[in-house]
Amino acid sequence: MNLKLSGGSEMMSPVALFMQADIVVKTVMIGLILASIWTWAIIIGHWLRIKKVARENERFERDFWKAQDIDRFHEAHAREDWPSAKIFAAGIAEWRRSTANKVLDRDGTRARLAVAMHGAVAAEIDRLSERLNILATVGSVAPFVGLFGTVWGIMRSFNDIAGANNTSLAVVAPGIAEALFATALGLFAAIPAVIAYNRMTHGINRLEARLGRFADGFHATLSRELEREG
């Protein structure tokens, strides 16, 4: 009895189920495994990236609000590649272009500064959101790909029943097990992708709100400077 149970468990192991499957179900399984690996690579890479960006943004903004001279601060931090630094650089660039004219248009300058900095916010959020659409795609498509493998496996089981003229569990079980394993792989790929997509989208929305507040604060600083311009 123990030997039979051991052999049965070996036949139902993931490797055995994969090896017993036909070429269609194997293709589905390989595709879902690759999608799962790709998903986890994106999740880990994006999580590390967002964490670093949030930390560096906080450091940049803290140093900025402590700075006494904006021009000197810009010279020291002009080459930084963090979102807050890009927004700051966009504001400084527009400020210098708008105040280079002999006749200063204060209202026009304020409007252009707002457009330039909020455009920089949108560009940085787009850059940080790259590849998140892959998570959304895997989360929505993987269950249906697994379901396709399930349907195909069950159809194969029915063919085996018809060929053997036998409805015993020994004839049906392998095909059904392969089919259900394809479904499990689909869910294994989809569930982390959906959870990660929702969490990362929430994190990016929070970061966008923070960058927007920084842009508004810097815009207010430059607006006050405009009032001092003769």
Side-chain angles (χ1 to χ4, degrees), residues 121-156:
V121 171
E124 291 304 305
I125 292 301
D126 287 342
R127 189 162 65 110
L128 291 171
S129 300
E130 288 178 353
R131 300 169 70 185
L132 286 188
N133 62 320
I134 297 174
L135 297 182
T137 301
V138 171
S140 60
V141 172
F144 295 101
V145 176
L147 182 61
F148 169 77
T150 298
V151 172
W152 188 272
I154 291 175
M155 289 172 59
R156 183 188 173 200

Side-chain angles (χ1 to χ4, degrees), residues 5-6 17 19 26 80 103 113 143 152 168 219-220 226:
L5 287 173
S6 177
L17 291 174
M19 296 304 297
K26 279 183 179 177
E80 293 194 17
V103 179
L113 286 170
W152 188 272
S168 68
H219 183 274
L226 276 175

Side-chain angles (χ1 to χ4, degrees), residues 174-196:
I176 293 179
E178 295 160 15
L180 295 177
F181 186 52
T183 299
L185 286 177
L187 295 176
F188 182 76
I191 291 173
V194 171
I195 294 173

